[in-house]
Amino acid sequence: MKNKLIIYILALAVFLIGTIEYIITGVIEMIAVDLRVSTSEAGLLVTVFALAAAIVAPILIALTINMDRKKLLMAALSVFIASNGLMLVNLSYETLLWVRIIQGASGGIATVVAMAVATRLVEKERRGNAIGIILMGLSSSLVLGVPAGTFFSEMFGWRVLFILIGIISVLPLFIIYKKVPAIREEEAVTLRMQFSILKDSKIVTALAITLFYIGGYSTLFTYITPFLQAASSLSITEISGVLFLAGICSFIGSKVGGQLADTKGSRFTICIGLLLQGAMLLLFTLAGVNIIVLILVLMIFMLATWSISPAQQLFLVTLVPRNPDIALSVNTSFIQFGFALGSGLGGLVISRTSVLNLNWVGLAAVSVALLLAILLFKKMSSGIGTSTVTKEKH
């Protein structure tokens, strides 16, 4: 694969952005005490980041679609780094909310543009693999970056972590400046052309698949610690070890999913991933039988979920080959909305019934995603609307 080192540098940038987004969940009590606000108010620091990444970032990407992708990526990373540097100042809670909005918008833009740049730096038949590597950065931040960040925050304070990540982020910024070539659209793209992609039923259906499979994942995983405590006799320390293994599986899943999408096709990879994801959610009902079974089911669940992501991103790129940035941007927004949907549904389940029922709600969401995928791919295979897809393997 061409430019492999650059692809991994882009993945590092995405890892750092993802860690900044989710680290709040690990140190939320510490932040609440420091800022003298309630835990729920501290939780808004996560919400505003996600909403900025989901809503503001796509709009800004749409407005800058004719800008050099290298310059846009560097600008977004620079703003992200500067926003982390603001943690040196003892900001008020209200000001910190605005900083998180800036981090969400700049981080969201950088993540999407990094994926789009990656697809243009490699051979066409290796695009899925490139996207998978970028997504390894994101998946790693969810489970590996957050525990590590929490550990260092407890030692040095949560503000120091933000500053440290800001400093580390200078490395990918410098390498992008030195190694990434200028990348522009071959022809001007208007706003009308960009938003016209949402008139395509195939794209809307694909985005709905993203919403429901991520929703099914986050319904359980947002509350995985109380779920494991209720389903087993594991201690908090042992659960941390299990989550570390889960993070490794998410990392491997992103890599394998990208490779499988290149060799077998994105449609095949998406269907297999959804089937495995749904099957594991069903098997969580047997979790209390044996601790080894519980851990194995969780490992496969993480592997399956994260193998879908690069294939889904590649599938959308093939649907909109002239303008992959917008397709990836909108899909990334739906990933963020999926996290919000899942965590909301999970919280509702916990408040009304038992934490052990989370897997059933997750299974329902994933089943909807699988049904939509089957209907969409069947429609495309029958020859309806396949003209927009370029060399997509079945």
Side-chain angles (χ1 to χ4, degrees), residues 209 212-218 270-284 297 300-308 359 362-363 365-367 369-370:
I209 292 170
F212 284 107
Y213 95 80
I214 290 292
Y217 162 77
S218 62
I270 291 167
C271 287
I272 291 298
L274 288 172
L275 280 169
L276 267 179
Q277 188 188 23
M280 292 308 104
L281 283 166
L282 182 62
L283 289 177
F284 269 115
V297 168
I300 299 174
F301 173 69
M302 295 295 290
L303 194 72
T305 300
W306 285 97
S307 70
I308 300 169
N359 63 304
L363 176 60
V366 172
S367 297
L370 179 59

PDB file of all heavy atoms in Angstrom, residues 209 212-218 270-284 297 300-308 359 362-363 365-367 369-370:
ATOM      1  N   ILE A 209     -28.615   2.647   8.138  1.00  0.00           N
ATOM      2  CA  ILE A 209     -27.906   1.448   8.597  1.00  0.00           C
ATOM      3  C   ILE A 209     -26.853   1.839   9.635  1.00  0.00           C
ATOM      4  O   ILE A 209     -26.730   1.204  10.690  1.00  0.00           O
ATOM      5  CB  ILE A 209     -27.246   0.720   7.406  1.00  0.00           C
ATOM      6  CG1 ILE A 209     -28.323   0.131   6.487  1.00  0.00           C
ATOM      7  CG2 ILE A 209     -26.300  -0.387   7.901  1.00  0.00           C
ATOM      8  CD1 ILE A 209     -27.781  -0.388   5.164  1.00  0.00           C
ATOM      9  N   PHE A 212     -28.505   2.758  13.056  1.00  0.00           N
ATOM     10  CA  PHE A 212     -29.040   1.656  13.856  1.00  0.00           C
ATOM     11  C   PHE A 212     -27.968   0.678  14.338  1.00  0.00           C
ATOM     12  O   PHE A 212     -28.067   0.169  15.458  1.00  0.00           O
ATOM     13  CB  PHE A 212     -30.131   0.917  13.074  1.00  0.00           C
ATOM     14  CG  PHE A 212     -31.437   1.656  13.033  1.00  0.00           C
ATOM     15  CD1 PHE A 212     -31.873   2.278  11.861  1.00  0.00           C
ATOM     16  CD2 PHE A 212     -32.227   1.763  14.169  1.00  0.00           C
ATOM     17  CE1 PHE A 212     -33.071   2.981  11.824  1.00  0.00           C
ATOM     18  CE2 PHE A 212     -33.428   2.463  14.148  1.00  0.00           C
ATOM     19  CZ  PHE A 212     -33.852   3.077  12.975  1.00  0.00           C
ATOM     20  N   TYR A 213     -26.936   0.420  13.516  1.00  0.00           N
ATOM     21  CA  TYR A 213     -25.940  -0.533  14.014  1.00  0.00           C
ATOM     22  C   TYR A 213     -25.052   0.098  15.088  1.00  0.00           C
ATOM     23  O   TYR A 213     -24.659  -0.560  16.061  1.00  0.00           O
ATOM     24  CB  TYR A 213     -25.129  -1.156  12.868  1.00  0.00           C
ATOM     25  CG  TYR A 213     -23.805  -0.521  12.529  1.00  0.00           C
ATOM     26  CD1 TYR A 213     -22.661  -0.789  13.286  1.00  0.00           C
ATOM     27  CD2 TYR A 213     -23.672   0.326  11.425  1.00  0.00           C
ATOM     28  CE1 TYR A 213     -21.441  -0.223  12.958  1.00  0.00           C
ATOM     29  CE2 TYR A 213     -22.456   0.896  11.101  1.00  0.00           C
ATOM     30  CZ  TYR A 213     -21.349   0.617  11.866  1.00  0.00           C
ATOM     31  OH  TYR A 213     -20.139   1.183  11.545  1.00  0.00           O
ATOM     32  N   ILE A 214     -24.762   1.409  14.951  1.00  0.00           N
ATOM     33  CA  ILE A 214     -24.020   2.101  16.007  1.00  0.00           C
ATOM     34  C   ILE A 214     -24.912   2.259  17.240  1.00  0.00           C
ATOM     35  O   ILE A 214     -24.454   2.113  18.382  1.00  0.00           O
ATOM     36  CB  ILE A 214     -23.523   3.473  15.522  1.00  0.00           C
ATOM     37  CG1 ILE A 214     -22.406   3.304  14.481  1.00  0.00           C
ATOM     38  CG2 ILE A 214     -23.027   4.312  16.691  1.00  0.00           C
ATOM     39  CD1 ILE A 214     -21.117   2.740  15.029  1.00  0.00           C
ATOM     40  N   GLY A 215     -26.196   2.541  17.017  1.00  0.00           N
ATOM     41  CA  GLY A 215     -27.141   2.639  18.132  1.00  0.00           C
ATOM     42  C   GLY A 215     -27.217   1.336  18.911  1.00  0.00           C
ATOM     43  O   GLY A 215     -27.229   1.332  20.151  1.00  0.00           O
ATOM     44  N   GLY A 216     -27.273   0.212  18.188  1.00  0.00           N
ATOM     45  CA  GLY A 216     -27.308  -1.096  18.847  1.00  0.00           C
ATOM     46  C   GLY A 216     -26.049  -1.377  19.640  1.00  0.00           C
ATOM     47  O   GLY A 216     -26.089  -1.958  20.729  1.00  0.00           O
ATOM     48  N   TYR A 217     -24.911  -0.937  19.092  1.00  0.00           N
ATOM     49  CA  TYR A 217     -23.630  -1.112  19.778  1.00  0.00           C
ATOM     50  C   TYR A 217     -23.572  -0.278  21.055  1.00  0.00           C
ATOM     51  O   TYR A 217     -23.253  -0.784  22.140  1.00  0.00           O
ATOM     52  CB  TYR A 217     -22.503  -0.715  18.824  1.00  0.00           C
ATOM     53  CG  TYR A 217     -21.177  -0.421  19.489  1.00  0.00           C
ATOM     54  CD1 TYR A 217     -20.359  -1.451  19.944  1.00  0.00           C
ATOM     55  CD2 TYR A 217     -20.731   0.890  19.653  1.00  0.00           C
ATOM     56  CE1 TYR A 217     -19.134  -1.192  20.539  1.00  0.00           C
ATOM     57  CE2 TYR A 217     -19.510   1.167  20.246  1.00  0.00           C
ATOM     58  CZ  TYR A 217     -18.715   0.132  20.687  1.00  0.00           C
ATOM     59  OH  TYR A 217     -17.509   0.394  21.281  1.00  0.00           O
ATOM     60  N   SER A 218     -23.893   1.018  20.943  1.00  0.00           N
ATOM     61  CA  SER A 218     -23.725   1.917  22.093  1.00  0.00           C
ATOM     62  C   SER A 218     -24.793   1.713  23.164  1.00  0.00           C
ATOM     63  O   SER A 218     -24.581   2.077  24.317  1.00  0.00           O
ATOM     64  CB  SER A 218     -23.716   3.376  21.634  1.00  0.00           C
ATOM     65  OG  SER A 218     -24.932   3.731  21.025  1.00  0.00           O
ATOM     66  N   ILE A 270     -20.290  -5.858   5.356  1.00  0.00           N
ATOM     67  CA  ILE A 270     -21.347  -5.245   6.164  1.00  0.00           C
ATOM     68  C   ILE A 270     -22.337  -6.298   6.645  1.00  0.00           C
ATOM     69  O   ILE A 270     -22.690  -6.341   7.838  1.00  0.00           O
ATOM     70  CB  ILE A 270     -22.077  -4.147   5.359  1.00  0.00           C
ATOM     71  CG1 ILE A 270     -21.153  -2.939   5.135  1.00  0.00           C
ATOM     72  CG2 ILE A 270     -23.350  -3.689   6.084  1.00  0.00           C
ATOM     73  CD1 ILE A 270     -21.664  -1.955   4.104  1.00  0.00           C
ATOM     74  N   CYS A 271     -22.770  -7.170   5.747  1.00  0.00           N
ATOM     75  CA  CYS A 271     -23.766  -8.196   6.112  1.00  0.00           C
ATOM     76  C   CYS A 271     -23.211  -9.186   7.139  1.00  0.00           C
ATOM     77  O   CYS A 271     -23.885  -9.515   8.118  1.00  0.00           O
ATOM     78  CB  CYS A 271     -24.247  -8.935   4.863  1.00  0.00           C
ATOM     79  SG  CYS A 271     -25.355  -7.961   3.816  1.00  0.00           S
ATOM     80  N   ILE A 272     -21.986  -9.652   6.918  1.00  0.00           N
ATOM     81  CA  ILE A 272     -21.366 -10.590   7.860  1.00  0.00           C
ATOM     82  C   ILE A 272     -21.189  -9.932   9.223  1.00  0.00           C
ATOM     83  O   ILE A 272     -21.458 -10.538  10.274  1.00  0.00           O
ATOM     84  CB  ILE A 272     -20.009 -11.084   7.321  1.00  0.00           C
ATOM     85  CG1 ILE A 272     -20.209 -11.990   6.103  1.00  0.00           C
ATOM     86  CG2 ILE A 272     -19.237 -11.836   8.409  1.00  0.00           C
ATOM     87  CD1 ILE A 272     -20.989 -13.262   6.388  1.00  0.00           C
ATOM     88  N   GLY A 273     -20.743  -8.673   9.214  1.00  0.00           N
ATOM     89  CA  GLY A 273     -20.544  -7.954  10.478  1.00  0.00           C
ATOM     90  C   GLY A 273     -21.838  -7.775  11.242  1.00  0.00           C
ATOM     91  O   GLY A 273     -21.882  -7.988  12.462  1.00  0.00           O
ATOM     92  N   LEU A 274     -22.916  -7.410  10.544  1.00  0.00           N
ATOM     93  CA  LEU A 274     -24.216  -7.214  11.199  1.00  0.00           C
ATOM     94  C   LEU A 274     -24.765  -8.530  11.735  1.00  0.00           C
ATOM     95  O   LEU A 274     -25.346  -8.571  12.830  1.00  0.00           O
ATOM     96  CB  LEU A 274     -25.210  -6.589  10.215  1.00  0.00           C
ATOM     97  CG  LEU A 274     -24.973  -5.117   9.856  1.00  0.00           C
ATOM     98  CD1 LEU A 274     -25.898  -4.681   8.724  1.00  0.00           C
ATOM     99  CD2 LEU A 274     -25.184  -4.220  11.079  1.00  0.00           C
ATOM    100  N   LEU A 275     -24.590  -9.603  10.971  1.00  0.00           N
ATOM    101  CA  LEU A 275     -25.047 -10.924  11.442  1.00  0.00           C
ATOM    102  C   LEU A 275     -24.320 -11.329  12.720  1.00  0.00           C
ATOM    103  O   LEU A 275     -24.942 -11.800  13.679  1.00  0.00           O
ATOM    104  CB  LEU A 275     -24.828 -11.976  10.350  1.00  0.00           C
ATOM    105  CG  LEU A 275     -25.866 -12.038   9.227  1.00  0.00           C
ATOM    106  CD1 LEU A 275     -25.371 -12.936   8.090  1.00  0.00           C
ATOM    107  CD2 LEU A 275     -27.205 -12.555   9.766  1.00  0.00           C
ATOM    108  N   LEU A 276     -23.001 -11.144  12.736  1.00  0.00           N
ATOM    109  CA  LEU A 276     -22.218 -11.491  13.927  1.00  0.00           C
ATOM    110  C   LEU A 276     -22.559 -10.592  15.104  1.00  0.00           C
ATOM    111  O   LEU A 276     -22.677 -11.055  16.250  1.00  0.00           O
ATOM    112  CB  LEU A 276     -20.721 -11.378  13.608  1.00  0.00           C
ATOM    113  CG  LEU A 276     -19.997 -12.631  13.136  1.00  0.00           C
ATOM    114  CD1 LEU A 276     -18.540 -12.315  12.840  1.00  0.00           C
ATOM    115  CD2 LEU A 276     -20.102 -13.752  14.155  1.00  0.00           C
ATOM    116  N   GLN A 277     -22.728  -9.305  14.835  1.00  0.00           N
ATOM    117  CA  GLN A 277     -23.074  -8.353  15.888  1.00  0.00           C
ATOM    118  C   GLN A 277     -24.399  -8.736  16.531  1.00  0.00           C
ATOM    119  O   GLN A 277     -24.527  -8.781  17.768  1.00  0.00           O
ATOM    120  CB  GLN A 277     -23.144  -6.943  15.307  1.00  0.00           C
ATOM    121  CG  GLN A 277     -23.304  -5.851  16.365  1.00  0.00           C
ATOM    122  CD  GLN A 277     -23.567  -4.479  15.753  1.00  0.00           C
ATOM    123  OE1 GLN A 277     -24.040  -4.374  14.624  1.00  0.00           O
ATOM    124  NE2 GLN A 277     -23.270  -3.428  16.495  1.00  0.00           N
ATOM    125  N   GLY A 278     -25.407  -9.029  15.705  1.00  0.00           N
ATOM    126  CA  GLY A 278     -26.719  -9.426  16.222  1.00  0.00           C
ATOM    127  C   GLY A 278     -26.663 -10.739  16.979  1.00  0.00           C
ATOM    128  O   GLY A 278     -27.283 -10.890  18.042  1.00  0.00           O
ATOM    129  N   ALA A 279     -25.903 -11.705  16.449  1.00  0.00           N
ATOM    130  CA  ALA A 279     -25.786 -13.013  17.104  1.00  0.00           C
ATOM    131  C   ALA A 279     -25.150 -12.876  18.486  1.00  0.00           C
ATOM    132  O   ALA A 279     -25.589 -13.529  19.450  1.00  0.00           O
ATOM    133  CB  ALA A 279     -24.967 -13.962  16.227  1.00  0.00           C
ATOM    134  N   MET A 280     -24.134 -12.017  18.607  1.00  0.00           N
ATOM    135  CA  MET A 280     -23.479 -11.845  19.901  1.00  0.00           C
ATOM    136  C   MET A 280     -24.407 -11.152  20.907  1.00  0.00           C
ATOM    137  O   MET A 280     -24.412 -11.492  22.101  1.00  0.00           O
ATOM    138  CB  MET A 280     -22.176 -11.047  19.738  1.00  0.00           C
ATOM    139  CG  MET A 280     -21.087 -11.778  18.973  1.00  0.00           C
ATOM    140  SD  MET A 280     -20.711 -13.434  19.603  1.00  0.00           S
ATOM    141  CE  MET A 280     -21.526 -14.466  18.371  1.00  0.00           C
ATOM    142  N   LEU A 281     -25.198 -10.185  20.443  1.00  0.00           N
ATOM    143  CA  LEU A 281     -26.160  -9.533  21.341  1.00  0.00           C
ATOM    144  C   LEU A 281     -27.174 -10.554  21.857  1.00  0.00           C
ATOM    145  O   LEU A 281     -27.605 -10.490  23.017  1.00  0.00           O
ATOM    146  CB  LEU A 281     -26.872  -8.391  20.603  1.00  0.00           C
ATOM    147  CG  LEU A 281     -26.045  -7.116  20.442  1.00  0.00           C
ATOM    148  CD1 LEU A 281     -26.678  -6.180  19.416  1.00  0.00           C
ATOM    149  CD2 LEU A 281     -25.884  -6.393  21.784  1.00  0.00           C
ATOM    150  N   LEU A 282     -27.553 -11.492  21.001  1.00  0.00           N
ATOM    151  CA  LEU A 282     -28.459 -12.560  21.418  1.00  0.00           C
ATOM    152  C   LEU A 282     -27.791 -13.475  22.440  1.00  0.00           C
ATOM    153  O   LEU A 282     -28.395 -13.860  23.450  1.00  0.00           O
ATOM    154  CB  LEU A 282     -28.904 -13.370  20.195  1.00  0.00           C
ATOM    155  CG  LEU A 282     -29.896 -14.518  20.443  1.00  0.00           C
ATOM    156  CD1 LEU A 282     -31.212 -13.984  20.999  1.00  0.00           C
ATOM    157  CD2 LEU A 282     -30.148 -15.286  19.145  1.00  0.00           C
ATOM    158  N   LEU A 283     -26.509 -13.791  22.203  1.00  0.00           N
ATOM    159  CA  LEU A 283     -25.776 -14.703  23.084  1.00  0.00           C
ATOM    160  C   LEU A 283     -25.421 -14.083  24.436  1.00  0.00           C
ATOM    161  O   LEU A 283     -25.021 -14.801  25.355  1.00  0.00           O
ATOM    162  CB  LEU A 283     -24.506 -15.199  22.394  1.00  0.00           C
ATOM    163  CG  LEU A 283     -24.713 -16.191  21.238  1.00  0.00           C
ATOM    164  CD1 LEU A 283     -23.389 -16.540  20.585  1.00  0.00           C
ATOM    165  CD2 LEU A 283     -25.403 -17.454  21.743  1.00  0.00           C
ATOM    166  N   PHE A 284     -25.544 -12.766  24.552  1.00  0.00           N
ATOM    167  CA  PHE A 284     -25.306 -12.139  25.853  1.00  0.00           C
ATOM    168  C   PHE A 284     -26.300 -12.648  26.904  1.00  0.00           C
ATOM    169  O   PHE A 284     -26.066 -12.495  28.105  1.00  0.00           O
ATOM    170  CB  PHE A 284     -25.394 -10.615  25.751  1.00  0.00           C
ATOM    171  CG  PHE A 284     -24.082  -9.941  25.452  1.00  0.00           C
ATOM    172  CD1 PHE A 284     -23.902  -9.255  24.261  1.00  0.00           C
ATOM    173  CD2 PHE A 284     -23.032  -9.984  26.358  1.00  0.00           C
ATOM    174  CE1 PHE A 284     -22.695  -8.627  23.975  1.00  0.00           C
ATOM    175  CE2 PHE A 284     -21.821  -9.362  26.079  1.00  0.00           C
ATOM    176  CZ  PHE A 284     -21.652  -8.687  24.881  1.00  0.00           C
ATOM    177  N   VAL A 297     -17.917 -13.738  24.047  1.00  0.00           N
ATOM    178  CA  VAL A 297     -19.022 -13.074  23.341  1.00  0.00           C
ATOM    179  C   VAL A 297     -18.728 -11.580  23.179  1.00  0.00           C
ATOM    180  O   VAL A 297     -18.943 -10.998  22.105  1.00  0.00           O
ATOM    181  CB  VAL A 297     -20.357 -13.289  24.095  1.00  0.00           C
ATOM    182  CG1 VAL A 297     -21.450 -12.364  23.549  1.00  0.00           C
ATOM    183  CG2 VAL A 297     -20.812 -14.739  23.976  1.00  0.00           C
ATOM    184  N   ILE A 300     -16.008 -11.023  20.410  1.00  0.00           N
ATOM    185  CA  ILE A 300     -16.529 -11.169  19.047  1.00  0.00           C
ATOM    186  C   ILE A 300     -17.473 -10.013  18.708  1.00  0.00           C
ATOM    187  O   ILE A 300     -17.504  -9.528  17.580  1.00  0.00           O
ATOM    188  CB  ILE A 300     -17.248 -12.530  18.879  1.00  0.00           C
ATOM    189  CG1 ILE A 300     -16.263 -13.671  19.138  1.00  0.00           C
ATOM    190  CG2 ILE A 300     -17.846 -12.658  17.476  1.00  0.00           C
ATOM    191  CD1 ILE A 300     -16.908 -15.051  19.140  1.00  0.00           C
ATOM    192  N   PHE A 301     -18.238  -9.569  19.708  1.00  0.00           N
ATOM    193  CA  PHE A 301     -19.142  -8.430  19.520  1.00  0.00           C
ATOM    194  C   PHE A 301     -18.361  -7.189  19.096  1.00  0.00           C
ATOM    195  O   PHE A 301     -18.735  -6.480  18.153  1.00  0.00           O
ATOM    196  CB  PHE A 301     -19.893  -8.171  20.830  1.00  0.00           C
ATOM    197  CG  PHE A 301     -20.731  -6.926  20.842  1.00  0.00           C
ATOM    198  CD1 PHE A 301     -21.880  -6.831  20.073  1.00  0.00           C
ATOM    199  CD2 PHE A 301     -20.377  -5.845  21.639  1.00  0.00           C
ATOM    200  CE1 PHE A 301     -22.661  -5.672  20.088  1.00  0.00           C
ATOM    201  CE2 PHE A 301     -21.150  -4.685  21.664  1.00  0.00           C
ATOM    202  CZ  PHE A 301     -22.293  -4.606  20.887  1.00  0.00           C
ATOM    203  N   MET A 302     -17.240  -6.914  19.767  1.00  0.00           N
ATOM    204  CA  MET A 302     -16.422  -5.755  19.431  1.00  0.00           C
ATOM    205  C   MET A 302     -15.783  -5.922  18.054  1.00  0.00           C
ATOM    206  O   MET A 302     -15.749  -4.987  17.249  1.00  0.00           O
ATOM    207  CB  MET A 302     -15.339  -5.557  20.497  1.00  0.00           C
ATOM    208  CG  MET A 302     -15.871  -5.205  21.871  1.00  0.00           C
ATOM    209  SD  MET A 302     -16.717  -3.610  21.921  1.00  0.00           S
ATOM    210  CE  MET A 302     -15.341  -2.488  21.717  1.00  0.00           C
ATOM    211  N   LEU A 303     -15.281  -7.113  17.786  1.00  0.00           N
ATOM    212  CA  LEU A 303     -14.652  -7.408  16.499  1.00  0.00           C
ATOM    213  C   LEU A 303     -15.637  -7.186  15.358  1.00  0.00           C
ATOM    214  O   LEU A 303     -15.322  -6.540  14.345  1.00  0.00           O
ATOM    215  CB  LEU A 303     -14.150  -8.851  16.494  1.00  0.00           C
ATOM    216  CG  LEU A 303     -13.183  -9.250  15.382  1.00  0.00           C
ATOM    217  CD1 LEU A 303     -11.824  -8.627  15.603  1.00  0.00           C
ATOM    218  CD2 LEU A 303     -13.060 -10.769  15.322  1.00  0.00           C
ATOM    219  N   ALA A 304     -16.869  -7.717  15.521  1.00  0.00           N
ATOM    220  CA  ALA A 304     -17.889  -7.614  14.476  1.00  0.00           C
ATOM    221  C   ALA A 304     -18.316  -6.168  14.245  1.00  0.00           C
ATOM    222  O   ALA A 304     -18.395  -5.695  13.109  1.00  0.00           O
ATOM    223  CB  ALA A 304     -19.099  -8.469  14.851  1.00  0.00           C
ATOM    224  N   THR A 305     -18.586  -5.453  15.358  1.00  0.00           N
ATOM    225  CA  THR A 305     -19.060  -4.075  15.236  1.00  0.00           C
ATOM    226  C   THR A 305     -18.072  -3.197  14.498  1.00  0.00           C
ATOM    227  O   THR A 305     -18.429  -2.464  13.567  1.00  0.00           O
ATOM    228  CB  THR A 305     -19.331  -3.470  16.628  1.00  0.00           C
ATOM    229  OG1 THR A 305     -20.324  -4.245  17.295  1.00  0.00           O
ATOM    230  CG2 THR A 305     -19.818  -2.031  16.509  1.00  0.00           C
ATOM    231  N   TRP A 306     -16.810  -3.284  14.878  1.00  0.00           N
ATOM    232  CA  TRP A 306     -15.818  -2.384  14.289  1.00  0.00           C
ATOM    233  C   TRP A 306     -15.346  -2.842  12.920  1.00  0.00           C
ATOM    234  O   TRP A 306     -14.709  -2.067  12.194  1.00  0.00           O
ATOM    235  CB  TRP A 306     -14.666  -2.181  15.261  1.00  0.00           C
ATOM    236  CG  TRP A 306     -15.096  -1.268  16.364  1.00  0.00           C
ATOM    237  CD1 TRP A 306     -15.548  -1.625  17.601  1.00  0.00           C
ATOM    238  CD2 TRP A 306     -15.197   0.154  16.306  1.00  0.00           C
ATOM    239  NE1 TRP A 306     -15.914  -0.513  18.321  1.00  0.00           N
ATOM    240  CE2 TRP A 306     -15.714   0.588  17.547  1.00  0.00           C
ATOM    241  CE3 TRP A 306     -14.904   1.107  15.335  1.00  0.00           C
ATOM    242  CZ2 TRP A 306     -15.934   1.931  17.827  1.00  0.00           C
ATOM    243  CZ3 TRP A 306     -15.128   2.437  15.603  1.00  0.00           C
ATOM    244  CH2 TRP A 306     -15.629   2.842  16.851  1.00  0.00           C
ATOM    245  N   SER A 307     -15.645  -4.091  12.528  1.00  0.00           N
ATOM    246  CA  SER A 307     -15.327  -4.523  11.161  1.00  0.00           C
ATOM    247  C   SER A 307     -16.302  -3.911  10.156  1.00  0.00           C
ATOM    248  O   SER A 307     -15.986  -3.774   8.972  1.00  0.00           O
ATOM    249  CB  SER A 307     -15.385  -6.058  11.062  1.00  0.00           C
ATOM    250  OG  SER A 307     -16.724  -6.524  11.170  1.00  0.00           O
ATOM    251  N   ILE A 308     -17.482  -3.517  10.633  1.00  0.00           N
ATOM    252  CA  ILE A 308     -18.497  -2.928   9.755  1.00  0.00           C
ATOM    253  C   ILE A 308     -18.096  -1.514   9.327  1.00  0.00           C
ATOM    254  O   ILE A 308     -18.330  -1.110   8.183  1.00  0.00           O
ATOM    255  CB  ILE A 308     -19.870  -2.870  10.464  1.00  0.00           C
ATOM    256  CG1 ILE A 308     -20.331  -4.277  10.867  1.00  0.00           C
ATOM    257  CG2 ILE A 308     -20.924  -2.223   9.572  1.00  0.00           C
ATOM    258  CD1 ILE A 308     -21.533  -4.281  11.803  1.00  0.00           C
ATOM    259  N   ASN A 359     -29.058  -5.795  26.056  1.00  0.00           N
ATOM    260  CA  ASN A 359     -28.722  -6.501  24.820  1.00  0.00           C
ATOM    261  C   ASN A 359     -29.933  -6.714  23.923  1.00  0.00           C
ATOM    262  O   ASN A 359     -29.818  -6.753  22.692  1.00  0.00           O
ATOM    263  CB  ASN A 359     -28.049  -7.839  25.137  1.00  0.00           C
ATOM    264  CG  ASN A 359     -28.967  -8.788  25.895  1.00  0.00           C
ATOM    265  OD1 ASN A 359     -29.472  -8.440  26.958  1.00  0.00           O
ATOM    266  ND2 ASN A 359     -29.182  -9.977  25.356  1.00  0.00           N
ATOM    267  N   GLY A 362     -30.467  -3.499  22.031  1.00  0.00           N
ATOM    268  CA  GLY A 362     -29.399  -3.430  21.039  1.00  0.00           C
ATOM    269  C   GLY A 362     -29.657  -4.372  19.872  1.00  0.00           C
ATOM    270  O   GLY A 362     -29.438  -4.023  18.708  1.00  0.00           O
ATOM    271  N   LEU A 363     -30.135  -5.585  20.184  1.00  0.00           N
ATOM    272  CA  LEU A 363     -30.445  -6.568  19.137  1.00  0.00           C
ATOM    273  C   LEU A 363     -31.540  -6.047  18.208  1.00  0.00           C
ATOM    274  O   LEU A 363     -31.466  -6.236  16.984  1.00  0.00           O
ATOM    275  CB  LEU A 363     -30.879  -7.888  19.783  1.00  0.00           C
ATOM    276  CG  LEU A 363     -31.337  -9.002  18.817  1.00  0.00           C
ATOM    277  CD1 LEU A 363     -30.218  -9.367  17.851  1.00  0.00           C
ATOM    278  CD2 LEU A 363     -31.798 -10.234  19.609  1.00  0.00           C
ATOM    279  N   ALA A 365     -32.199  -2.934  17.446  1.00  0.00           N
ATOM    280  CA  ALA A 365     -31.625  -1.893  16.581  1.00  0.00           C
ATOM    281  C   ALA A 365     -30.763  -2.505  15.479  1.00  0.00           C
ATOM    282  O   ALA A 365     -30.852  -2.114  14.307  1.00  0.00           O
ATOM    283  CB  ALA A 365     -30.802  -0.914  17.419  1.00  0.00           C
ATOM    284  N   VAL A 366     -29.925  -3.477  15.835  1.00  0.00           N
ATOM    285  CA  VAL A 366     -29.056  -4.126  14.838  1.00  0.00           C
ATOM    286  C   VAL A 366     -29.886  -4.911  13.823  1.00  0.00           C
ATOM    287  O   VAL A 366     -29.547  -4.964  12.635  1.00  0.00           O
ATOM    288  CB  VAL A 366     -28.031  -5.044  15.538  1.00  0.00           C
ATOM    289  CG1 VAL A 366     -27.252  -5.874  14.525  1.00  0.00           C
ATOM    290  CG2 VAL A 366     -27.067  -4.210  16.378  1.00  0.00           C
ATOM    291  N   SER A 367     -30.992  -5.498  14.274  1.00  0.00           N
ATOM    292  CA  SER A 367     -31.872  -6.236  13.361  1.00  0.00           C
ATOM    293  C   SER A 367     -32.465  -5.304  12.305  1.00  0.00           C
ATOM    294  O   SER A 367     -32.584  -5.669  11.128  1.00  0.00           O
ATOM    295  CB  SER A 367     -33.003  -6.923  14.145  1.00  0.00           C
ATOM    296  OG  SER A 367     -32.479  -7.887  15.040  1.00  0.00           O
ATOM    297  N   ALA A 369     -30.987  -2.587  11.228  1.00  0.00           N
ATOM    298  CA  ALA A 369     -29.866  -2.281  10.330  1.00  0.00           C
ATOM    299  C   ALA A 369     -29.647  -3.410   9.327  1.00  0.00           C
ATOM    300  O   ALA A 369     -29.429  -3.160   8.129  1.00  0.00           O
ATOM    301  CB  ALA A 369     -28.592  -2.046  11.147  1.00  0.00           C
ATOM    302  N   LEU A 370     -29.712  -4.659   9.798  1.00  0.00           N
ATOM    303  CA  LEU A 370     -29.512  -5.814   8.920  1.00  0.00           C
ATOM    304  C   LEU A 370     -30.615  -5.904   7.876  1.00  0.00           C
ATOM    305  O   LEU A 370     -30.347  -6.166   6.693  1.00  0.00           O
ATOM    306  CB  LEU A 370     -29.450  -7.099   9.745  1.00  0.00           C
ATOM    307  CG  LEU A 370     -29.269  -8.407   8.949  1.00  0.00           C
ATOM    308  CD1 LEU A 370     -27.979  -8.366   8.129  1.00  0.00           C
ATOM    309  CD2 LEU A 370     -29.267  -9.614   9.892  1.00  0.00           C
TER     310      LEU A 370
END
